Amino acid sequence: MLRFGILASAVPLILAGLFAHSELLPGPRPCIEAGGSSLQIAEAPWNADLHVTFTDVPATATVRVQIVENAETADFVMVDGADSLEANACGGAPRFVAISAYPSASAPVIYLSTDGGADYRIFVRSKTFSLREAAALVVGANAGRARMAAASL
C-alpha cells in the first residue's frame, strides 16, 4: 500500500516536470536574414514589431503568398534538415513578427495558397519553419506590403 502511495504522489511530479521542460525551454524560433536585418517569429505577441494574420478568403487578403513545388520559381526558399540552433541563427537584434488570430486594420492579411497570381512565392521544406511562419517572415521582410503596392511607391 505504501508503494502505491509513493507512486501516486510521484506521477504528478513527473508530469509537471515534463510539462515545464516543454513550455519553459522553447526551441529556436524561426528567423531569417533579409535586407541587412534579421526577422524572427515573436515568442509573445506583445514583443512583435509587426503583426500579420491569415485568411481563407482571397478577397479579404492584402498580401497573397503562393506555395510552390519548385525552388527555382520561388522568391523565398527555406530548406533545412537540422534541429540545431546554428541552422536557424540570425545575427544582430531581430525585428519580431507575430502571427495574430484576430486581424487589425493596419495588419497585413495573408492569403496562403497554391494558386498563381501571388505577390510572393515560397518553397519550404523545413523542420524549423511552418508554411505560415515562412509566409509571415517574407511579408514581414517587406514591411507587410504586397509586391505590387511596394513597387508603385
Side-chain angles (χ1 to χ4, degrees), residues 14-40:
I14 292 169
L15 291 175
L18 291 173
F19 177 73
H21 176 68
S22 66
E23 292 296 317
L24 296 177
L25 300 173
R29 307 295 296 168
C31 184
I32 63 170
E33 298 268 346
S37 65
S38 300
L39 286 104
Q40 186 173 20

Side-chain angles (χ1 to χ4, degrees), residues 22-81:
S22 66
E23 292 296 317
L24 296 177
L25 300 173
R29 307 295 296 168
C31 184
I32 63 170
E33 298 268 346
S37 65
S38 300
L39 286 104
Q40 186 173 20
I41 295 294
E43 200 168 308
W46 53 86
N47 291 339
D49 301 307
L50 176 69
H51 292 263
V52 300
T53 189
F54 287 85
T55 184
D56 293 329
V57 182
T60 62
T62 59
V63 182
R64 296 170 190 259
V65 178
Q66 179 184 1
I67 304 162
V68 296
E69 293 297 323
N70 187 345
E72 288 80 29
T73 61
D75 300 314
F76 175 74
V77 176
M78 182 59 210
V79 178
D80 69 29

